[in-house]
């Protein structure tokens, strides 16, 4: 799965020290650029015409490199100690660039066994100095899984993929725009959030009153080309045999209006007041619209849960795969590590084991919350087996943002319910669940396919400075670096 639909711009600092061979430095510079470009990256680096062999080894070259990074607005920085490297030049480049971007540091391996006359790099020593210099200027950085390596190594390729995902999460959240449609249900204090503190983290909240959504959808013409197109797509997206044509039309109009609002406001994700006003005042559930938008990379959280939206967005940015918002719904009565991750019918189709079914909101109908003819529009299915990553970001009344992470496996199980759901096996679930309770996380958790817990751990814990909790973490409640992808 590609990290991004467009090229990421990564600044590269080939850290050189003049005492060492410029030819060896140039070869590792070129090899690192090739490794980055193989990942689909746009590399921003001084050319050999601008600095000695295109590397950075003094203040003047650091100033030139920093200006390049600012001009191109790089989204991350890779520091390669092509030999011992000049730590002050690295520090000055990053300090002068003033980009606050994620940084990956690594050193290049020696070419041959060390002897008195062997051309040498000594990156093993120099990388320590570079790390210390970055600490002294207060720069946060990441370390490759194999800190000393050749850029052509498979391990380095994996580290680059991990780092690019980290950059995507950090930059995506810092510049995010989340649409909040309506308000949280009164009974759900778990969906409260502090909009001003969220803005300090990065995301901007754009608000739309639910009445404006309803009025806008009702004004949409049946013959509107977008409405007609969405109507056809709904029939392909799920089995619609159990719902009325009028419900499909209302869903198509609702989706058309929301798509235009998302486009006009440059939104990355949504949180929607999904019950029960929309059913009584418009006549359909929002689930189908939210499922379809989520399937296309616009995560949609239920119950106007903006921090749930942030959690889903982080998952999407980390994995490049659609994300869902689930309830920690049910612990299997015979298995302490098996939990039912469920919601009424809003999961993206990407999670489905088979063709989804367009249905009614069973809880709403059975409880008398809304009649059946007004409560159609859920997307129901059983999730397919496979690895998943779970994430929930929360904010206390006082203190920093915090996140809980888990990696698990959706598996087949004969236990059944309605809506959209999957049985997820999570090692250490009981310990994790205690942290969810003790650290005040709510009943909503974001989920994405694949195991990207380490991406989220690094992005949220290191760069966005959240307290991160994990079932097998080394130091509870603190950012504790782990090896990428559980390695």
């Amino acid at each position: 799965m590609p990290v991004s639909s467009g090229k990421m711009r990564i600044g590269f600092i080939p850290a050189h020290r003049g005492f060492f061979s410029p030819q060896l430095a140039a070869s590792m510079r070129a090899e690192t650029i090739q490794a980055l470009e193989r990942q689909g990256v746009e590399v921003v680096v001084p050319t050999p015409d601008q600095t000695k062999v295109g590397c950075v080894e003094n203040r003047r070259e650091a100033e030139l490199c920093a200006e390049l990074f600012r001009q191109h607005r790089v989204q991350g920085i890779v520091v390669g100690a092509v030999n011992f490297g000049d730590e002050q030049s690295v520090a000055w480049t990053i300090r002068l660039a003033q980009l606050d971007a994620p940084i990956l540091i690594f050193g290049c391996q020696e070419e041959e066994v060390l002897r008195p006359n062997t051309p040498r790099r000594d990156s093993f020593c120099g990388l320590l100095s570079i790390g210390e210099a970055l600490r002294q200027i207060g720069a946060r950085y990441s370390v490759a899984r194999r800190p000393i390596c050749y850029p052509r190594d498979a391990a380095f390729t994996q580290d680059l993929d991990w780092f690019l995902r980290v950059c995507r999460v950090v930059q995506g959240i810092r510049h995010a725009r989340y649409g909040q449609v309506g308000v949280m249900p009164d009974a759900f204090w778990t969906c409260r959030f502090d909009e001003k503190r969220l803005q300090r983290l990065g995301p901007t909240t754009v608000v739309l009153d639910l009445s404006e959504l309803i009025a806008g959808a009702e004004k949409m013409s049946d013959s509107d080309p977008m409405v007609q197109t969405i109507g056809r797509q709904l029939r392909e997206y799920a089995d619609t045999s159990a719902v009325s044509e009028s419900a499909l039309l209302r869903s198509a109009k609702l989706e058309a209006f929301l798509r235009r609002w998302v486009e006009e406001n440059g939104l990355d994700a949504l949180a929607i007041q999904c019950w029960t006003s929309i059913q009584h005042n418009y006549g359909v559930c929002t689930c189908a619209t939210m499922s379809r938008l989520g399937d296309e990379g616009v995560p949609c959280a239920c119950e106007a849960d903006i921090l749930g939206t942030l959690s889903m967005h982080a998952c999407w940015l980390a994995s490049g795969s659609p994300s869902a918002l689930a309830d920690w719904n049910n612990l299997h009565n015979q298995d302490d590590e098996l939990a039912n991750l469920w919601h009424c019918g809003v999961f993206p189709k990407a999670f489905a084991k088979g063709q989804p079914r367009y249905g009614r909101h069973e809880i709403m109908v059975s409880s008398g919350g809304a009649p059946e003819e007004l409560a159609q529009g859920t997307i129901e299915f059983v999730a397919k087996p496979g690895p998943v990553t779970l994430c929930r970001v929360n904010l206390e009344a006082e203190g920093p943002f915090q996140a809980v992470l888990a990696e698990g496996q959706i598996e087949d199980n004969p236990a059944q319910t309605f809506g959209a759901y999957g049985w997820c096996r999570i090692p250490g679930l009981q310990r994790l669940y205690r942290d969810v309770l003790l650290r005040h996380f709510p009943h909503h958790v974001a989920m994405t396919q694949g195991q990207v817990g380490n991406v989220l751990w690094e992005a949220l814990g290191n760069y966005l400075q959240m307290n991160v909790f994990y079932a097998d973490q080394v130091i509870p409640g603190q950012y504790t670096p782990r090896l990428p992808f559980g390695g």
Side-chain angles (χ1 to χ4, degrees), residues 173 178-180 184 189-203 205 269-272 299-315 323-325 391-397 399-404 440-447 460 466:
I173 289 178
Y178 299 148
Q180 180 184 343
M184 69 175 197
W189 281 17
T190 54
C191 298
R192 285 175 163 178
F193 78 105
D194 186 328
E195 188 172 350
K196 290 182 179 179
R197 291 181 69 189
L198 182 66
Q199 185 72 76
R200 288 287 183 92
L201 181 69
T205 307
L270 300 175
I272 298 177
C300 297
C302 301
E303 292 142 0
D305 182 1
I306 283 288
L307 293 184
T309 301
L310 168 59
S311 307
M312 296 173 75
H313 189 214
C315 282
S323 58
L325 192 68
C391 172
R392 176 66 202 201
V393 174
N394 202 32
L395 180 61
E396 296 276 47
F401 279 87
Q402 56 186 25
V404 62
H440 308 153
F441 290 99
H443 71 296
H444 282 168
V445 64
M447 172 174 64
L460 302 180
M466 297 183 187

Coordinates of all heavy atoms in Angstrom, one line a residue, residues 173 178-180 184 189-203 205 269-272 299-315 323-325 391-397 399-404 440-447 460 466:
I173 N -1.7 15.5 10.5 CA -2.4 15.9 11.7 C -2.2 17.4 12.0 O -3.1 18.2 12.3 CB -2.1 15.0 12.9 CG1 -2.7 13.7 12.7 CG2 -2.6 15.7 14.2 CD1 -2.4 12.7 13.8
Y178 N -10.9 19.2 10.1 CA -12.0 18.2 10.4 C -13.3 18.9 10.4 O -13.5 20.0 11.0 CB -11.7 17.6 11.7 CG -10.4 16.8 11.9 CD1 -9.8 16.7 13.1 CD2 -9.9 16.2 10.8 CE1 -8.6 16.0 13.2 CE2 -8.7 15.5 10.9 CZ -8.1 15.4 12.1 OH -6.9 14.7 12.2
G179 N -14.3 18.3 9.6 CA -15.6 18.8 9.6 C -16.5 18.2 10.7 O -16.5 17.0 10.8
Q180 N -17.1 19.1 11.6 CA -18.0 18.6 12.6 C -19.4 19.0 12.2 O -19.8 20.1 12.1 CB -17.6 19.2 14.0 CG -18.6 18.7 15.1 CD -18.3 19.4 16.4 OE1 -17.3 20.0 16.6 NE2 -19.3 19.3 17.3
M184 N -22.6 16.3 19.5 CA -22.7 14.9 20.1 C -24.0 14.7 20.7 O -24.7 15.6 21.2 CB -21.6 14.8 21.1 CG -21.8 15.6 22.3 SD -20.7 15.3 23.7 CE -21.6 16.0 25.1
W189 N -21.1 11.8 26.8 CA -20.0 12.7 27.3 C -18.6 12.3 26.8 O -17.7 13.0 26.8 CB -20.0 12.7 28.9 CG -21.0 13.6 29.5 CD1 -22.2 14.1 28.9 CD2 -21.1 14.0 30.8 NE1 -22.9 14.8 29.7 CE2 -22.3 14.8 31.0 CE3 -20.2 13.9 31.9 CZ2 -22.6 15.4 32.2 CZ3 -20.6 14.5 33.1 CH2 -21.8 15.3 33.2
T190 N -18.5 11.0 26.4 CA -17.3 10.5 25.9 C -16.8 11.2 24.7 O -15.6 11.0 24.3 CB -17.4 9.0 25.7 OG1 -18.5 8.7 24.8 CG2 -17.6 8.2 26.9
C191 N -17.7 11.9 24.0 CA -17.4 12.5 22.7 C -17.0 14.0 22.9 O -16.8 14.7 22.0 CB -18.5 12.4 21.7 SG -18.9 10.7 21.3
R192 N -16.9 14.5 24.2 CA -16.5 15.9 24.4 C -15.1 16.1 24.0 O -14.3 15.2 24.1 CB -16.7 16.2 25.9 CG -18.1 16.4 26.4 CD -18.1 16.5 27.9 NE -19.3 17.1 28.4 CZ -19.6 17.3 29.7 NH1 -18.7 17.0 30.6 NH2 -20.8 17.8 30.0
F193 N -14.8 17.3 23.6 CA -13.4 17.7 23.3 C -13.2 19.2 23.5 O -14.1 19.9 23.6 CB -13.0 17.2 21.9 CG -13.5 18.1 20.8 CD1 -12.6 19.0 20.2 CD2 -14.8 18.2 20.4 CE1 -13.0 19.8 19.2 CE2 -15.2 19.0 19.4 CZ -14.3 19.8 18.8
D194 N -11.9 19.6 23.6 CA -11.5 21.0 23.8 C -11.0 21.5 22.4 O -9.9 21.1 22.0 CB -10.4 21.1 24.8 CG -10.1 22.5 25.2 OD1 -10.2 23.4 24.3 OD2 -9.7 22.8 26.3
E195 N -11.8 22.3 21.8 CA -11.5 22.7 20.4 C -10.3 23.6 20.4 O -9.4 23.5 19.4 CB -12.7 23.4 19.8 CG -12.5 23.8 18.3 CD -13.8 24.3 17.7 OE1 -14.8 24.3 18.3 OE2 -13.7 24.8 16.6
K196 N -10.1 24.4 21.4 CA -8.9 25.3 21.4 C -7.6 24.5 21.6 O -6.6 24.8 20.9 CB -9.0 26.3 22.5 CG -10.1 27.4 22.3 CD -10.2 28.4 23.4 CE -11.3 29.4 23.1 NZ -11.4 30.4 24.2
R197 N -7.6 23.5 22.4 CA -6.4 22.7 22.6 C -6.1 21.8 21.4 O -5.0 21.6 21.1 CB -6.5 21.9 23.9 CG -6.5 22.7 25.2 CD -6.6 21.9 26.4 NE -5.4 21.1 26.6 CZ -5.3 20.2 27.6 NH1 -6.4 19.9 28.3 NH2 -4.2 19.5 27.7
L198 N -7.2 21.4 20.7 CA -7.0 20.6 19.5 C -6.3 21.5 18.5 O -5.5 21.1 17.7 CB -8.4 20.1 19.0 CG -8.3 19.3 17.7 CD1 -7.6 18.0 18.0 CD2 -9.7 19.0 17.2
Q199 N -6.7 22.8 18.4 CA -6.1 23.7 17.5 C -4.6 23.9 17.7 O -3.8 24.0 16.8 CB -6.8 25.1 17.5 CG -6.3 26.1 16.5 CD -6.8 25.8 15.1 OE1 -7.9 25.9 14.7 NE2 -5.9 25.2 14.3
R200 N -4.3 23.9 19.0 CA -2.8 24.0 19.4 C -2.0 22.8 18.9 O -0.9 23.0 18.5 CB -2.7 24.1 20.9 CG -3.1 25.4 21.5 CD -2.1 26.5 21.2 NE -2.4 27.8 21.8 CZ -2.0 28.2 23.0 NH1 -1.2 27.4 23.7 NH2 -2.4 29.4 23.5
L201 N -2.7 21.7 18.9 CA -2.0 20.5 18.3 C -1.8 20.6 16.8 O -0.9 20.1 16.3 CB -2.8 19.2 18.7 CG -2.3 17.9 18.2 CD1 -1.0 17.5 19.0 CD2 -3.3 16.8 18.3
G202 N -2.8 21.2 16.1 CA -2.7 21.4 14.7 C -4.1 21.4 14.0 O -4.4 22.3 13.2
P203 N -5.0 20.4 14.2 CA -6.2 20.4 13.5 C -7.2 21.5 13.7 O -7.4 22.0 14.8 CB -6.9 19.0 13.9 CG -5.7 18.2 14.5 CD -4.8 19.2 15.1
T205 N -11.1 22.8 13.3 CA -12.5 22.2 13.3 C -13.4 23.2 12.5 O -13.4 24.4 12.8 CB -13.1 22.0 14.7 OG1 -12.1 21.2 15.4 CG2 -14.4 21.3 14.6
A269 N -11.4 14.9 7.1 CA -12.2 13.9 7.8 C -13.4 14.6 8.4 O -13.4 15.8 8.5 CB -11.3 13.2 8.8
L270 N -14.3 13.7 8.8 CA -15.6 14.3 9.4 C -16.0 13.6 10.7 O -15.5 12.5 11.0 CB -16.7 14.0 8.4 CG -16.7 14.7 7.0 CD1 -17.8 14.2 6.1 CD2 -16.6 16.2 7.1
A271 N -16.8 14.3 11.5 CA -17.5 13.7 12.6 C -18.9 14.2 12.5 O -19.2 15.4 12.4 CB -16.9 14.2 13.9
I272 N -19.8 13.2 12.6 CA -21.2 13.5 12.2 C -22.2 13.1 13.3 O -22.0 12.1 13.9 CB -21.6 12.8 10.9 CG1 -20.8 13.3 9.7 CG2 -23.1 13.0 10.6 CD1 -21.0 12.6 8.4
P299 N -12.1 9.7 6.4 CA -12.6 9.0 7.6 C -13.8 9.8 8.2 O -13.8 11.0 8.3 CB -11.5 9.0 8.6 CG -10.2 9.1 7.7 CD -10.6 10.0 6.6
C300 N -14.8 9.1 8.6 CA -16.0 9.7 9.2 C -16.3 9.0 10.6 O -16.6 7.8 10.6 CB -17.2 9.5 8.3 SG -17.0 10.4 6.7
A301 N -16.3 9.8 11.6 CA -16.6 9.3 13.0 C -18.1 9.5 13.3 O -18.7 10.5 13.0 CB -15.7 10.0 14.0
C302 N -18.6 8.6 14.1 CA -20.0 8.7 14.6 C -20.1 9.6 15.7 O -19.1 10.0 16.4 CB -20.4 7.3 15.0 SG -20.4 6.0 13.7
E303 N -21.3 10.0 16.0 CA -21.7 10.8 17.2 C -20.9 12.0 17.4 O -20.6 12.4 18.6 CB -21.6 9.8 18.4 CG -22.6 8.7 18.4 CD -22.2 7.4 18.8 OE1 -21.0 7.2 19.2 OE2 -23.0 6.4 18.8
A304 N -20.5 12.7 16.3 CA -19.7 13.9 16.3 C -18.5 13.8 17.2 O -18.1 14.8 17.9 CB -20.6 15.1 16.8
D305 N -17.8 12.7 17.2 CA -16.7 12.4 18.0 C -15.4 12.9 17.3 O -14.8 12.1 16.5 CB -16.6 10.9 18.3 CG -15.4 10.5 19.2 OD1 -14.6 11.4 19.6 OD2 -15.3 9.3 19.4
I306 N -15.0 14.1 17.5 CA -13.9 14.7 16.8 C -12.6 14.1 17.1 O -11.7 13.9 16.3 CB -13.8 16.3 17.0 CG1 -14.9 17.0 16.2 CG2 -12.5 16.8 16.7 CD1 -14.6 17.1 14.7
L307 N -12.4 13.7 18.4 CA -11.1 13.0 18.7 C -11.1 11.6 18.2 O -10.1 11.0 17.9 CB -10.9 13.0 20.2 CG -10.7 14.4 20.9 CD1 -10.4 14.2 22.4 CD2 -9.5 15.1 20.2
G308 N -12.3 11.0 17.9 CA -12.4 9.8 17.2 C -12.0 10.0 15.7 O -11.3 9.2 15.1
T309 N -12.4 11.2 15.2 CA -12.0 11.5 13.8 C -10.5 11.6 13.7 O -9.9 11.1 12.8 CB -12.6 12.9 13.4 OG1 -14.0 12.8 13.5 CG2 -12.2 13.3 12.0
L310 N -9.9 12.3 14.7 CA -8.4 12.4 14.7 C -7.8 11.0 14.8 O -6.8 10.8 14.1 CB -8.0 13.2 16.0 CG -6.5 13.3 16.3 CD1 -5.6 13.8 15.2 CD2 -6.3 14.1 17.6
S311 N -8.3 10.1 15.6 CA -7.8 8.8 15.7 C -7.9 8.0 14.4 O -6.9 7.4 14.0 CB -8.5 8.0 16.8 OG -8.5 8.7 18.0
M312 N -9.0 8.2 13.7 CA -9.2 7.5 12.4 C -8.3 8.1 11.4 O -7.7 7.4 10.6 CB -10.6 7.7 11.9 CG -11.7 7.1 12.8 SD -13.4 7.5 12.3 CE -13.5 6.5 10.8
H313 N -8.1 9.4 11.4 CA -7.3 10.1 10.4 C -5.8 9.7 10.6 O -5.1 9.4 9.6 CB -7.4 11.6 10.6 CG -6.7 12.4 9.5 ND1 -6.1 13.6 9.8 CD2 -6.5 12.2 8.2 CE1 -5.6 14.1 8.6 NE2 -5.8 13.2 7.7
A314 N -5.4 9.6 11.8 CA -4.0 9.1 12.1 C -3.8 7.7 11.6 O -2.8 7.3 11.0 CB -3.7 9.1 13.6
C315 N -4.8 6.8 11.8 CA -4.7 5.4 11.2 C -4.6 5.4 9.7 O -3.8 4.7 9.1 CB -6.0 4.6 11.7 SG -5.9 4.1 13.4
S323 N -10.0 3.6 7.4 CA -10.1 3.4 8.8 C -11.6 3.4 9.2 O -12.4 4.0 8.5 CB -9.3 4.4 9.6 OG -9.8 5.7 9.3
A324 N -11.8 2.7 10.3 CA -13.2 2.7 10.9 C -13.2 3.1 12.3 O -12.1 3.1 13.0 CB -13.7 1.2 10.8
L325 N -14.3 3.5 12.8 CA -14.5 3.8 14.3 C -15.4 2.8 14.9 O -16.5 2.6 14.4 CB -15.1 5.2 14.5 CG -15.0 5.7 15.9 CD1 -13.5 5.9 16.3 CD2 -15.8 7.0 16.1
C391 N -6.3 2.4 17.5 CA -5.7 3.7 18.0 C -6.9 4.5 18.6 O -7.9 4.7 17.9 CB -5.0 4.4 16.9 SG -4.4 6.1 17.4
R392 N -6.6 5.1 19.7 CA -7.6 6.1 20.2 C -6.8 7.3 20.9 O -5.9 7.0 21.8 CB -8.5 5.5 21.3 CG -9.4 6.5 21.9 CD -10.4 7.1 21.0 NE -10.9 8.4 21.4 CZ -12.1 8.9 21.0 NH1 -12.8 8.3 20.1 NH2 -12.5 10.1 21.4
V393 N -7.0 8.5 20.4 CA -6.5 9.7 21.0 C -7.5 10.3 21.9 O -8.7 10.3 21.6 CB -6.1 10.7 19.9 CG1 -5.6 12.0 20.5 CG2 -5.0 10.1 19.0
N394 N -7.0 10.8 23.1 CA -8.0 11.4 24.0 C -7.3 12.6 24.7 O -6.0 12.7 24.6 CB -8.5 10.4 25.0 CG -9.8 10.8 25.7 OD1 -10.6 11.5 25.0 ND2 -10.0 10.5 26.9
L395 N -8.0 13.4 25.3 CA -7.5 14.6 26.0 C -8.2 14.8 27.3 O -9.4 14.9 27.4 CB -7.8 15.8 25.1 CG -7.3 17.2 25.7 CD1 -5.7 17.2 25.8 CD2 -7.7 18.3 24.7
E396 N -7.4 14.8 28.4 CA -7.9 15.0 29.7 C -8.2 16.5 29.9 O -7.8 17.4 29.1 CB -6.9 14.6 30.8 CG -6.6 13.1 30.8 CD -7.6 12.3 31.6 OE1 -8.8 12.6 31.4 OE2 -7.2 11.5 32.3
A397 N -9.0 16.8 30.9 CA -9.2 18.3 31.3 C -7.9 19.0 31.5 O -7.8 20.2 31.1 CB -10.2 18.4 32.5
G399 N -3.5 18.3 31.4 CA -2.4 17.4 30.9 C -2.4 17.3 29.4 O -3.2 17.9 28.7
P400 N -1.4 16.5 28.9 CA -1.2 16.4 27.4 C -2.2 15.5 26.8 O -3.0 14.8 27.4 CB 0.2 15.8 27.4 CG 0.3 14.9 28.6 CD -0.5 15.6 29.6
F401 N -2.2 15.5 25.4 CA -3.0 14.5 24.7 C -2.4 13.2 25.0 O -1.2 13.0 25.3 CB -2.8 14.8 23.2 CG -3.8 15.8 22.7 CD1 -3.4 17.2 22.7 CD2 -5.0 15.5 22.1 CE1 -4.2 18.2 22.2 CE2 -5.8 16.5 21.6 CZ -5.5 17.8 21.7
Q402 N -3.2 12.1 24.9 CA -2.7 10.8 25.1 C -3.3 9.8 24.1 O -4.4 10.2 23.5 CB -3.0 10.3 26.5 CG -4.4 10.4 26.9 CD -4.6 10.0 28.4 OE1 -3.7 10.2 29.2 NE2 -5.8 9.5 28.8
A403 N -2.7 8.7 23.8 CA -3.1 7.8 22.9 C -2.9 6.3 23.4 O -2.0 6.1 24.1 CB -2.4 7.9 21.5
V404 N -3.8 5.5 23.0 CA -3.7 4.1 23.3 C -3.6 3.3 22.0 O -4.3 3.6 21.0 CB -4.8 3.5 24.2 CG1 -6.2 3.6 23.5 CG2 -4.5 2.1 24.6
H440 N -8.5 6.8 31.2 CA -9.7 7.5 30.8 C -9.9 7.6 29.3 O -10.1 8.7 28.7 CB -9.6 8.9 31.4 CG -9.4 8.9 32.9 ND1 -8.8 10.0 33.5 CD2 -9.7 8.0 33.8 CE1 -8.7 9.7 34.8 NE2 -9.2 8.5 35.0
F441 N -9.8 6.5 28.6 CA -10.1 6.4 27.2 C -11.6 6.0 27.0 O -12.1 5.2 27.8 CB -9.2 5.5 26.4 CG -7.8 5.9 26.3 CD1 -6.8 5.4 27.2 CD2 -7.4 6.9 25.3 CE1 -5.5 5.9 27.1 CE2 -6.1 7.3 25.2 CZ -5.1 6.8 26.1
P442 N -12.2 6.5 26.0 CA -13.7 6.2 25.8 C -13.9 4.9 25.1 O -13.0 4.2 24.8 CB -14.2 7.4 25.0 CG -13.0 7.8 24.2 CD -11.8 7.5 25.0
H443 N -15.2 4.7 24.8 CA -15.6 3.4 24.2 C -15.4 3.3 22.7 O -15.6 2.3 22.1 CB -17.1 3.1 24.5 CG -18.0 4.0 23.8 ND1 -18.1 5.4 23.9 CD2 -19.0 3.7 22.8 CE1 -19.0 5.9 23.1 NE2 -19.5 4.9 22.5
H444 N -15.0 4.4 22.1 CA -14.7 4.4 20.6 C -13.2 4.2 20.4 O -12.4 4.8 21.1 CB -15.1 5.8 20.0 CG -16.5 6.0 19.8 ND1 -17.1 7.2 19.5 CD2 -17.6 5.1 19.8 CE1 -18.4 7.1 19.3 NE2 -18.7 5.8 19.5
V445 N -12.9 3.3 19.4 CA -11.5 3.1 19.0 C -11.4 3.1 17.5 O -12.3 2.5 16.8 CB -10.9 1.8 19.7 CG1 -11.6 0.6 19.2 CG2 -9.4 1.7 19.4
A446 N -10.4 3.7 16.9 CA -10.2 3.7 15.5 C -9.5 2.4 15.1 O -8.7 1.9 15.9 CB -9.4 4.9 15.0
M447 N -9.7 1.9 13.9 CA -9.1 0.7 13.4 C -8.8 0.8 11.9 O -9.5 1.4 11.2 CB -10.2 -0.4 13.6 CG -9.8 -1.8 13.0 SD -11.0 -3.1 13.5 CE -12.5 -2.5 12.7
L460 N 2.8 9.9 17.1 CA 2.1 10.5 18.2 C 2.9 10.7 19.4 O 2.8 11.8 20.1 CB 0.9 9.6 18.5 CG -0.1 9.3 17.4 CD1 -1.2 8.4 17.9 CD2 -0.7 10.6 16.8
M466 N 2.5 13.1 22.6 CA 1.4 12.5 23.4 C 1.9 11.5 24.3 O 3.0 10.8 24.0 CB 0.3 11.9 22.5 CG -0.3 12.8 21.5 SD -1.6 12.0 20.5 CE -2.1 13.3 19.4

